[in-house]
Amino acid sequence: MSTGGVTELQTTLHARYGKDKVRVLRVVRDGAWHHVVEYNVTALLEGDIDVSYTHADNSVVVATDSIKNITYYLAKVSPHILVPEHFALHLGTHLVSRYAHIHKAFITVEQLRWTRIPLNNTQSKAGEEKGHTHAFYRDGEDKRVVKVEVDASAGKDRLVGHVISGISDLLVLKSTGSSFSSFIRDEYTTLAEVDDRIFSTSVDLQYKFAPVELPVPADAKQIDFKLGEAKTADGTVWDAVGVAERARKVTLEVFAEDESASVQATLYRMAQLLLVQNAGVQTVTYSLPNKHYIPVDMRYIGVENVTPPSKAEVFMPIAAPSGLISATVSRK
Ligand SMILES: O=c1[nH]c(=O)c2[nH]c(=O)[nH]c2[nH]1
């Protein structure tokens, strides 16, 4: 095949490939007490794969179809399936352990909500969870999103996990307890200062853990993977489940309770508290659209709906544009 002079170019290649949007629902049966998780999984590989791009040499290619099959296989056999961080680490570890020339795996797991229907009010054996034994409902479009990199570049027996977890699409609204004033006023300013307004956002949160030292799977099939022993680099035990619960709680609590002077100030309070409550978290990033609701001006018909802002009752939701406020907060 003619390369049309391309071979004369000096090129570097950064290559990564795999399967996207692998959809899986897993049922775990503890007698009559069932658990379900639904995940959208992306699994990408890096390693000595350049020749598949540069020389059409597929001998180094684990087919993306096989990567999909491995995802379903691990969904069946992994003891870590119910916790997205743990499952992502297991899948990544399995991939880099199974293939000598693969040095990094990048796994994203997006978890959709299935919450027990609060009928019957049955309790699990452990007495923690309540609700129906095997019927669930979608109680929100927000997702738990986990991004994991399993890095084997220091050796297959010295695996390191880099984990970023978070929440996306958590839609919230409060009808008071939010103001916005004292901003720059110049020739471009039309916005009125308000001591009371609607505050609504769709929370996108990412929090990064300190790197996790991963245990090497004890068996040839890489299924015996004792994540309970995983430690962060500073020696603290890694607690993905506890952090996830506290992160969601603190986000909702601060949103509800903060007397918000701006989206910026409320965002910073959320991030600060998340860091204070979770020693293993290094950085917190929030991205918060300011979804505007505008009081409808009815003065043309002799009805006051705009002033004072605290008396406004009818609002027009504005789909676009929205503000977009984001920040990453880390420890000193
Ligand atoms: O909380 C806010 N932050 C802003 O930066 C901003 N800008 C704006 O027009 N409204 C708001 N609200």
Side-chain angles (χ1 to χ4, degrees):
M1 187 177 74
S2 163
T3 53
V6 167
T7 47
E8 287 156 28
L9 282 177
Q10 288 290 325
T11 55
T12 57
L13 178 68
H14 177 77
R16 187 185 292 181
Y17 81 104
K19 208 64 151 185
D20 192 21
K21 300 188 179 77
V22 181
R23 299 191 55 178
V24 54
L25 179 102
R26 170 69 148 92
V27 180
V28 174
R29 296 184 178 84
D30 179 8
W33 185 258
H34 290 188
H35 302 267
V36 297
V37 285
E38 182 168 346
Y39 295 150
N40 298 325
V41 182
T42 305
L44 306 177
L45 306 180
E46 275 185 21
D48 302 328
I49 55 174
D50 290 12
V51 292
S52 66
Y53 294 79
T54 58
H55 292 77
D57 179 353
N58 290 341
S59 66
V60 296
V61 176
V62 182
T64 70
D65 190 63
S66 308
I67 297 171
K68 176 257 298 170
N69 290 343
I70 291 168
T71 305
Y72 285 123
Y73 171 64
L74 269 245
K76 174 81 177 171
V77 299
S78 173
H80 303 292
I81 186 68
L82 291 179
V83 178
E85 287 90 345
H86 296 183
F87 178 64
L89 285 172
H90 195 181
L91 178 57
T93 298
H94 189 86
L95 287 162
V96 299
S97 305
R98 175 69 181 78
Y99 300 103
H101 69 298
I102 298 301
H103 304 310
K104 287 185 180 180
F106 298 84
I107 313 295
T108 301
V109 175
E110 188 183 69
Q111 180 175 18
L112 309 178
R113 292 184 71 81
W114 285 121
T115 300
R116 284 178 199 286
I117 294 177
L119 208 70
N120 294 352
N121 225 15
T122 1
Q123 232 160 0
S124 73
K125 276 185 203 158
E128 284 164 7
E129 271 187 276
K130 284 185 173 176
H132 200 274
T133 49
H134 61 267
F136 306 84
Y137 70 118
R138 174 83 25 100
D139 65 339
E141 289 305 320
D142 56 303
K143 291 134 202 125
R144 207 143 113 52
V145 183
V146 171
K147 290 173 195 281
V148 155
E149 173 188 336
V150 176
D151 184 355
S153 25
K156 302 284 178 178
D157 55 351
R158 300 187 57 193
L159 303 182
V160 179
H162 300 275
V163 183
I164 297 173
S165 295
I167 303 169
S168 72
D169 303 314
L170 177 58
L171 192 55
V172 289
L173 179 148
K174 62 196 283 188
S175 52
T176 187
S178 167
S179 61
F180 188 61
S181 60
S182 307
F183 48 88
I184 294 171
R185 298 211 80 83
D186 61 15
E187 66 274 30
Y188 296 112
T189 311
T190 57
L191 186 70
E193 304 205 345
V194 279
D195 59 4
D196 196 312
R197 65 175 182 174
I198 286 186
F199 179 8
S200 177
T201 189
S202 175
V203 176
D204 187 280
L205 162 65
Q206 300 192 349
Y207 46 91
K208 187 166 99 185
F209 290 95
V212 184
E213 292 168 13
L214 297 174
V216 176
D219 60 330
K221 288 198 175 292
Q222 291 108 29
I223 302 308
D224 188 6
F225 183 55
K226 296 206 167 31
L227 247 184
E229 293 157 16
K231 300 240 185 314
T232 51
D234 61 4
T236 51
V237 174
W238 187 57
D239 176 23
V241 176
V243 177
E245 284 169 3
R246 287 189 292 276
R248 186 182 163 86
K249 189 159 180 278
V250 83
T251 300
L252 292 173
E253 274 177 10
V254 172
F255 176 78
E257 303 275 325
D258 187 37
E259 281 299 321
S260 175
S262 65
V263 179
Q264 287 89 331
T266 301
L267 179 159
Y268 187 65
R269 287 206 61 193
M270 287 176 178
Q272 266 190 318
L273 276 175
L274 202 157
L275 284 170
V276 165
Q277 292 177 0
N278 299 287
V281 171
Q282 289 184 323
T283 66
V284 178
T285 301
Y286 277 101
S287 182
L288 302 179
N290 188 8
K291 298 170 80 69
H292 303 304
Y293 286 76
I294 312 291
V296 176
D297 189 343
M298 301 181 182
R299 280 173 292 193
Y300 74 94
I301 203 167
V303 174
E304 184 51 75
N305 186 60
V306 176
T307 47
S310 60
K311 293 271 165 60
E313 292 175 318
V314 178
F315 297 82
M316 181 167 47
I318 303 293
S322 65
L324 184 59
I325 317 295
S326 70
T328 298
V329 184
S330 54
R331 296 172 196 282
K332 271 196 182 149

